[in-house]
Structure formats: structure tokens, C-alpha cells
Amino acid sequence: MIDSYKHQGLRKHLVEIIRGKGITDYNVLAAIGKVPRHFFFDSSFLKYAYEDNAFPIGSGQTISQPYTVAFQSQLLMLGKGQKVLEVGTGSGYQACILAEIGAKVFSIERQKSLYDKAVQFIPTLGYRIKLFYGDGYKGLPAYAPFDKIIVTAGAPYIPDALMEQLKPGGILVIPVGGDDVQEMTTITRISEKEFQKREHGKFRFVPLLEDKARED
Ligand code: SAH
């Protein structure tokens, strides 16, 4: 696939749309302007790649809306070289945005077909992201603690394992709620024992599923 001037122009336009919706973090906007979102789409759907919408990626899952990706990324307040865990690799787009910002990214996916696709595809874009097939509710204890954790599916509750895997000063960004709507929530680990919760408005995600990883 190629990244033509036309694609680059569409991306610039997308950045302006997202800026217009209130995203101010320069590094986040620059990353949206850089990562070729159309590479994550099937060739027959290319024209949808630079609209500010979520889109189906197969296996009943979606690539998140660019604004949502930017909003969650901004809440992470990422510094270069920080260790970030993503739960819900999906297409890999959000993971690439975080890598483009300069984070060391670890990402977990529970659907084998999506994990396999991401393992093949992401290195072709030049990003080095550590991908794992498994259940994100458990986090990645072997690689913890993390500076930041981002969950990209709607969680019915905040998993303790993810809070435990935050460094002091770390931030967890997670949409919390039922199947229809979730509240974007941040948990900041103030100290070993103290956590501060904040809410940032309503979003809609596919559900964070609780059963074990699936072979489909
Ligand atoms: N970040 C993705 C958005 C993917 S949608 C992107 O940029 O494209 C949410 C993803 O979370 C789906 O791929 C879904 O399979 C995955 N998921 C759902 N429950 C999960 C769990 N318990 N552990 C890991 N991944 C999960």
C-alpha cells in the first residue's frame, strides 16, 4: 500500500477536525497526522479511513474513532520512553499512535485472528510494539509496572490487576459502563495505596470480554 499526497492531505484534514473537537496535545495531533490509518483498512474501504468514525475490522470488532483515539491518548499525558500497556490491540492503530508519540508499547488482544494479523502487519509500518495474545483483565504482570495503561474496550468495572500494575504517579485510562455507553475514566495512582478517580464524558466501545482468550 502507498501513502500518497492525497492520503497525507486527508490526514491533515482529519487532524484539523480533531483539533476542532478540542484535542490540544501537540504530540497526539502530530501522531494522528503521521500514522497512515488507511493501511489498517481493507482496500475496498479505503475511502472511509480518514473520516472521524469507528469502522469494523472483522471478528465483530472495530478500529476506534480517531477522535476517541486522540482523546484517550491525550488523557495518558505520555512522556517519551514511558512504558504503556494497551488492552485491546484490535487493528493496532491506537498502539501505533502511542509508539509514534514515543512510548514503549505493550498490547494485549484476546482474539487470536486479530492478534495474528497485528503481529504480521505492525512491523511492516516500522513500529516495534510488544504484542501478546491473552486476557487483558489480568494485565501483563511479568512486564509490570507500567507508567500508563489504556483500555480500548468498554469495561463493566475497573480490574484490580490493572490498578496494581500502575507505577506510583501512573495513569489508567478506561471506559467504564454497560454495553450501550461508558464513562471515560482515569485512575491516577497517587501513591502505593492511594488512587484518584476522574470522569471525562460518555463514549461507546465494544465490550471488554471476560472469558478466556478465544481461538477465532
Ligand atoms: N485499540 C483498537 C480498538 C479495538 S476494539 C484499535 O486501535 O483498533 C477493542 C478490542 O478489545 C477488540 O479487538 C477486542 O477483541 C479486544 N478485547 C475485548 N476483550 C478483551 C480482553 N479481555 N482482553 C484483551 N482484549 C480484549
Side-chain angles (χ1 to χ4, degrees):
M1 227 181 264
I2 56 156
D3 191 26
S4 68
Y5 284 123
K6 184 176 164 216
H7 294 121
Q8 291 164 32
L10 289 169
R11 247 186 346 264
K12 265 197 184 142
H13 181 64
L14 178 62
V15 169
E16 290 318 312
I17 291 175
I18 289 171
R19 199 199 302 274
K21 290 182 178 176
I23 301 297
T24 52
D25 185 321
Y26 173 80
N27 293 322
V28 170
L29 292 168
I32 300 273
K34 194 98 185 276
V35 178
R37 191 167 185 261
H38 65 287
F39 284 19
F40 296 78
F41 281 60
D42 210 67
S43 59
S44 40
F45 300 120
L46 282 180
K47 64 177 177 185
Y48 300 110
Y50 294 110
E51 292 179 359
D52 188 25
N53 290 318
F55 201 80
I57 53 170
S59 310
Q61 301 304 323
T62 56
I63 179 171
S64 300
Q65 179 181 354
Y67 170 73
T68 305
V69 170
F71 191 82
Q72 287 198 281
S73 302
Q74 177 164 283
L75 287 174
L76 285 175
M77 297 197 281
L78 272 180
K80 292 222 189 310
Q82 288 193 339
K83 233 169 104 184
V84 181
L85 171 64
E86 179 195 29
V87 174
T89 312
S91 69
Y93 178 68
Q94 170 77 74
C96 289
I97 292 289
L98 300 176
E100 181 60 44
I101 294 171
K104 272 189 240 154
V105 185
F106 298 71
S107 185
I108 318 177
E109 172 57 52
R110 74 179 273 284
Q111 287 212 35
K112 186 73 162 59
S113 55
L114 293 174
Y115 163 79
D116 287 341
K117 208 167 157 187
V119 164
Q120 292 287 319
F121 170 63
I122 291 178
T124 68
L125 296 177
Y127 295 111
R128 281 210 296 270
I129 294 170
K130 291 196 169 57
L131 297 166
F132 299 83
Y133 167 54
D135 179 8
Y137 273 92
K138 300 190 179 74
L140 276 182
Y143 295 86
F146 297 94
D147 294 293
K148 307 287 164 65
I149 301 178
I150 172 173
V151 178
T152 66
Y157 60 89
I158 300 170
D160 286 344
L162 298 184
M163 289 176 51
E164 281 158 18
Q165 289 173 35
L166 274 182
K167 285 185 192 172
I171 301 174
L172 164 64
V173 177
I174 179 168
V176 185
D179 284 354
D180 289 344
V181 66
Q182 304 89 32
E183 182 72 34
M184 191 64 76
T185 307
T186 52
I187 301 289
T188 304
R189 185 167 203 168
I190 310 281
S191 64
E192 198 56 41
K193 294 231 166 74
E194 258 181 302
F195 294 85
Q196 184 184 63
K197 181 174 161 181
R198 287 213 179 96
E199 296 184 337
H200 307 270
K202 307 268 189 260
F203 287 80
R204 276 196 78 161
F205 284 81
V206 294
L208 186 68
L209 297 170
E210 195 151 13
D211 55 350
K212 62 183 180 350
R214 279 172 32 169
E215 284 281 345
D216 57 10

